[in-house]
Amino acid sequence: MFRTLKIPFGLAIALSMSVLVISIALVNKLDHHQSVIEVVRDDTAALSNSLALQLSVMMERNPGNEALLSSLFQPIKEHKHLLSAALYDNHFNVISAVQPERVVAISDSSVPKSPENVPFGISQYEGVIVAHQIVGSSLYPMGHVVIYIDTNNIQTANSARQFLEQVPIVLALWLLCTGVCIFILYRLISPLASLGRFTQEVFETKDYALRSSINSSNEIGRIASNINSLLDAIEVELLVNFEQKQTLVDQQETMSRLANFDSLTGLPNRQFVLDNLRLELARAKRNDEDLLLLFFDLDGFKGINDSLGHETGDLILIEVADRVQCLLRDGDLFARLGGDEFLVLPDRDATTDQAKSLAMRLITAFDEPFELRGLSLTVGLSVGVATASDAGYDLSELMSNADLAMYRSKARGRGSYTLFTPDMVESHKRKLHLANGIEQGIANDEFVVYYQVKVNNDGDVIGVEALIRWQHPEFGLVMPNEFIPIAEQGGKITAITRWVINRVCIDMPDLKHWAAGAFRASINLSGHDLRSNQLFDHIYNTFTLYDVNPENIEFEVTESAYLENFALSNKFFRRIGNMGCAIALDDFGTGYSSLSYLTQINIDTLKVDRQFVTEIQSSERSRLVTGAIIDLAKRLSLSVCAEGIENLEQWQYLKAHGCDNVQGFMFSKPVPINELVASPCHYKAEQFT
């Protein structure tokens, strides 16, 4: 209602002054009225005394002269407030009177109207003063004088006159006091108004560096000081908040960068590219267009990473990102999905031929080695190309198709690209079906062990190699080269190995009964098996359960699997050897091609890989390598076993060069246990001529 405190304060002061002035006027009026009454009372007493004295003298000198007595009352007729005046004899009979009828008109019943009831002296009633005086002495009274004076008229007349006389003074006093109070109030409130304008300015400008200039010791000064202190605190808090906000902005930018970009290469990451690819697929489907996707990873990167360390691997990934970006157009999207996997989404107008051309340029760009820390390192690419139309514009299916095509490139020998075709899906579904059915296959005893004989130079069977097959209820007989890699990738190979060990131990009595002399059954182990802490305990417990002599068991491991887990392999085979089992190193010469490890490993037999044996008759180099391997094994006091023997010439050549044992299709293909025990356990060279 009031926009400023001055108005209500001014009204309050004016009202207070008015009440004060009215109160003073009322008090003054009451005091004046009482004074008037006192004066009238004294005048009435004097008048009655004077009249009684005059009447006393007159009655002594002229007794019975009523006319003369009446003349004495004539002067008091002019008294403005006289109600009645009368002279009575001692019997209160009227001798002379002035306006006696007005006594009767007095309405106040407390006023005595009969003279004999009027007390002597001066009596005051409400609105009336009555005087009763004795004429003469009290011992010899000659009569009585009774006078009635109207005080109401005196009060009214005096009040009106007094009011008229006091109005200018009261008004001047009221104006003076009100003006002084308002002036003092204005002086007191002005700093408060200034403080209000200051706070409004701070609110409007949001400039918290402003400070109030009010400097006083009263409450307003303290409020101004407190506001300045509050502004100091706000300014400090704003500065802190600004710094924190800037920090949060920086952190948000960092988090956004980490969320959307690879911290190592600076490329868009998996989440970023998938979000964009999802939008691009929706746009392409809506416009009935197609999208191409190139998916690739690095060939040989794992070996470099493991042998030279992750720091070198990171440097290669950075160089890969730089090298690929130089081949792309501005509209192409290039991202790192994780590890050594990368994705290229060509611009919208790219065609299949352009994608193939880009894939070839990518592969060719990596023919040149990386020069890092004085090393010349070569990595290749395996590229998979997929189209959105083949995937039905589904993101996950498109990524899966590109991944399938890329792995098909790896299977073809790496350093190549493959364009996705729908038949790859069926192959992938078969792999998934096999991967998901391994555990159930073990539980349902769907796996079967086939045995291939090992023969010494005399043609006697001295052992067998246990080779697993999967009698799948849907796919029929599945060979190990198909499901073993799947089991290794899914971490289920150890369960298969344990099943094979159990099966061989169960078949061991039949194998020993069939074999004529010393006999060993060979069981293959993978690199995953060598990393298992419980495998040795399982072997020991299984041998104990089936009462198998460890000397009848040989464990085979590939050269690459042994060296990838060198410390664990040495520890494991040392315990196996101490138990009495033999150890064979398979695929020798096809792995790391470093001979220094032969002085540190614990093995009994070197197995010559079939690729050397196959080319013995056609390649002089294969004959030289095979001879060198046999000679090396002999010098290290190791037994030599060659695999892949398919004709008599190969067997004779190996016997001539000191090979101890052989195995291959010339003697027998891998067969189930019932066919094995029905076959001969001795072979003569003549039967193969």
Side-chain angles (χ1 to χ4, degrees):
M1 179 179 179
F2 300 112
R3 303 190 64 178
T4 174
L5 291 175
K6 295 178 181 178
I7 294 177
F9 275 128
L11 291 176
I13 291 172
L15 182 61
S16 300
M17 291 296 101
S18 300
V19 172
L20 179 61
V21 170
I22 292 172
S23 299
I24 293 174
L26 289 175
V27 171
N28 184 48
K29 179 181 178 182
L30 293 175
D31 184 64
H32 178 72
H33 173 69
Q34 188 64 33
S35 299
V36 170
I37 296 298
E38 292 294 332
V39 171
V40 172
R41 183 187 179 94
D42 292 342
D43 289 347
T44 302
L47 177 62
S48 63
N49 288 334
S50 175
L51 184 60
L53 182 59
Q54 291 179 12
L55 288 172
S56 175
V57 173
M58 186 64 70
M59 290 179 71
E60 285 181 358
R61 293 179 180 177
N62 301 295
N65 190 351
E66 295 181 2
L68 185 60
L69 293 176
S70 297
S71 64
L72 292 176
F73 282 92
Q74 293 305 317
I76 67 173
K77 278 186 178 182
E78 303 302 324
H79 198 293
K80 293 185 292 185
H81 306 295
L82 178 67
L83 290 174
S84 172
L87 173 63
Y88 298 94
D89 59 15
N90 289 331
H91 299 288
F92 293 99
N93 295 314
V94 177
I95 298 175
S96 180
V98 177
Q99 301 174 345
E101 67 278 1
R102 296 181 65 178
V103 175
V104 180
I106 297 174
S107 60
D108 192 355
S109 60
S110 63
V111 178
K113 300 180 179 59
S114 179
E116 62 268 19
N117 295 328
V118 177
F120 291 100
I122 301 298
S123 300
Q124 183 176 344
Y125 300 94
E126 185 68 29
V128 178
I129 295 177
V130 181
H132 185 180
Q133 294 294 337
I134 298 174
V135 178
S137 65
S138 58
L139 294 177
Y140 301 102
M142 290 181 286
H144 299 270
V145 174
V146 178
I147 300 173
Y148 289 87
I149 300 298
D150 184 7
T151 59
N152 287 326
N153 291 333
I154 296 173
Q155 180 180 355
T156 302
N158 280 278
S159 295
R161 185 174 61 254
Q162 182 186 20
F163 177 75
L164 292 175
E165 293 174 351
Q166 291 181 350
V167 163
I169 299 173
V170 170
L171 183 59
L173 181 62
W174 180 81
L175 290 174
L176 177 63
C177 294
T178 302
V180 171
C181 291
I182 291 177
F183 175 75
I184 295 173
L185 176 65
Y186 179 80
R187 293 296 301 273
L188 292 176
I189 292 182
S190 292
L192 191 59
S194 176
L195 190 60
R197 290 191 296 272
F198 168 74
T199 54
Q200 183 66 23
E201 181 182 4
V202 172
F203 171 75
E204 292 176 352
T205 62
K206 300 296 187 294
D207 183 4
Y208 298 103
L210 296 175
R211 295 294 181 271
S212 174
S213 59
I214 297 175
N215 186 16
S216 61
S217 59
N218 58 19
E219 288 81 356
I220 297 178
R222 287 195 291 273
I223 291 175
S225 177
N226 291 339
I227 289 176
N228 287 339
S229 300
L230 181 60
L231 289 174
D232 290 338
I234 291 175
E235 191 173 16
V236 171
E237 288 298 323
L238 285 177
L239 180 61
V240 173
N241 289 342
F242 176 78
E243 293 175 351
Q244 291 178 344
K245 179 182 178 181
Q246 192 61 40
T247 302
L248 289 175
V249 170
D250 295 341
Q251 290 177 347
Q252 186 175 8
E253 291 178 354
T254 302
M255 291 176 65
S256 177
R257 188 166 57 253
L258 292 175
N260 296 309
F261 293 89
D262 177 47
S263 59
L264 178 64
T265 62
L267 297 175
N269 62 11
R270 184 184 192 91
Q271 187 60 46
F272 180 85
V273 75
L274 290 182
D275 291 340
N276 281 271
L277 188 54
R278 190 177 288 108
L279 296 175
E280 287 297 313
L281 285 172
R283 181 202 59 78
K285 183 178 182 181
R286 185 170 57 252
N287 298 332
D288 195 23
E289 297 176 355
D290 206 353
L291 283 179
L292 289 166
L293 183 68
L294 281 76
F295 188 92
F296 69 86
D297 72 357
L298 308 180
D299 299 330
F301 178 75
K302 185 178 185 302
I304 294 175
N305 215 23
D306 292 342
S307 59
L308 300 179
H310 292 286
E311 185 176 353
T312 302
D314 290 344
L315 293 176
I316 288 180
L317 293 175
I318 295 172
E319 291 292 331
V320 167
D322 294 339
R323 190 172 293 187
V324 172
Q325 283 181 314
C326 294
L327 303 175
L328 302 179
R329 299 175 297 177
D330 291 338
D332 297 338
L333 178 61
F334 178 39
R336 181 189 177 202
L337 300 183
D340 62 336
E341 294 181 338
F342 295 87
L343 178 148
V344 176
L345 180 65
D347 200 9
R348 297 176 181 178
D349 59 352
T351 63
T352 303
D353 291 337
Q354 290 174 332
K356 292 179 179 179
S357 175
L358 176 58
M360 283 304 303
R361 293 201 309 271
L362 289 173
I363 294 170
T364 305
F366 285 82
D367 291 341
E368 183 181 351
F370 294 97
E371 303 295 335
L372 296 173
R373 299 180 175 180
L375 298 175
S376 182
L377 304 174
T378 302
V379 294
L381 295 186
S382 292
V383 184
V385 183
T387 62
S389 56
D390 286 337
Y393 296 93
D394 181 75
L395 175 61
S396 60
E397 189 169 349
L398 177 61
M399 295 289 292
S400 177
N401 291 349
D403 188 56
L404 286 175
M406 186 266 292
Y407 277 102
R408 183 62 61 91
S409 297
K410 285 186 177 294
R412 289 169 53 188
R414 304 185 177 187
S416 62
Y417 73 89
T418 301
L419 183 63
F420 171 82
T421 55
D423 62 288
M424 296 180 187
V425 176
E426 296 301 322
S427 175
H428 181 62
K429 288 181 179 179
R430 177 182 173 95
K431 289 182 179 179
L432 287 178
H433 201 78
L434 292 175
N436 295 329
I438 289 176
E439 292 180 350
Q440 184 177 359
I442 294 174
N444 295 341
D445 209 21
E446 296 174 2
F447 291 94
V448 180
V449 172
Y450 277 45
Y451 295 97
Q452 186 178 34
V453 297
K454 293 182 179 181
V455 180
N456 61 15
N457 290 333
D458 296 329
D460 297 325
V461 175
I462 50 89
V464 292
E465 181 177 0
L467 301 171
I468 191 170
R469 304 288 188 269
W470 187 355
Q471 191 63 48
H472 197 278
E474 180 179 350
F475 303 132
L477 190 65
V478 183
M479 302 304 289
N481 59 348
E482 183 177 2
F483 68 82
I484 290 298
I486 297 175
E488 289 181 335
Q489 292 176 2
K492 301 174 183 178
I493 188 64
T494 301
I496 293 178
T497 301
R498 292 185 178 188
W499 184 90
V500 172
I501 294 172
N502 287 353
R503 186 72 256 176
V504 171
C505 289
I506 293 172
D507 292 341
M508 184 56 69
D510 293 336
L511 294 173
K512 291 176 66 176
H513 183 266
W514 167 73
F519 180 86
R520 289 183 188 272
S522 297
I523 301 173
N524 290 285
L525 299 178
S526 72
H528 292 273
D529 296 327
L530 300 179
R531 291 191 291 270
S532 174
N533 296 326
Q534 293 81 28
L535 181 60
F536 177 82
D537 294 334
H538 175 78
I539 294 172
Y540 179 82
N541 293 333
T542 305
F543 287 176
T544 302
L545 176 64
Y546 294 104
D547 192 24
V548 173
N549 185 354
E551 294 182 356
N552 293 127
I553 299 294
E554 180 181 61
F555 289 101
E556 292 187 13
V557 62
T558 63
E559 179 185 24
S560 57
Y562 197 118
L563 297 183
E564 283 178 1
N565 309 275
F566 190 76
L568 292 175
S569 300
N570 266 348
K571 179 180 178 181
F572 174 79
F573 285 124
R574 186 179 298 111
R575 299 178 69 186
I576 288 292
N578 292 337
M579 192 167 56
C581 297
I583 301 125
L585 189 66
D586 199 2
D587 297 341
F588 181 75
T590 62
Y592 283 77
S593 301
S594 174
L595 302 179
S596 61
Y597 70 88
L598 289 176
T599 62
Q600 306 173 43
I601 62 176
N602 301 303
I603 60 173
D604 301 292
T605 301
L606 272 183
K607 293 192 71 175
V608 180
D609 189 75
R610 68 177 65 249
Q611 73 180 41
F612 299 119
V613 175
T614 302
E615 298 176 357
I616 283 178
Q617 295 170 280
S618 60
S619 172
E620 177 64 25
R621 291 194 175 191
S622 293
R623 289 194 291 271
L624 291 175
V625 171
T626 304
I629 292 174
I630 296 173
D631 183 63
L632 176 63
K634 293 300 181 181
R635 292 178 182 275
L636 294 175
S637 301
L638 300 177
S639 174
V640 181
C641 178
E643 57 185 2
I645 308 301
E646 296 183 358
N647 55 59
L648 183 60
E649 289 77 7
Q650 293 172 345
W651 186 22
Q652 290 175 340
Y653 179 87
L654 291 170
K655 284 196 297 183
H657 286 78
C659 185
D660 299 305
N661 307 311
V662 292
Q663 66 182 95
F665 285 178
M666 188 183 81
F667 304 102
S668 173
K669 294 181 178 180
V671 294
I673 181 68
N674 55 346
E675 293 184 27
L676 177 69
V677 297
S679 64
C681 59
H682 178 77
Y683 297 90
K684 296 181 180 180
E686 293 79 10
Q687 71 186 80
F688 302 109
T689 58

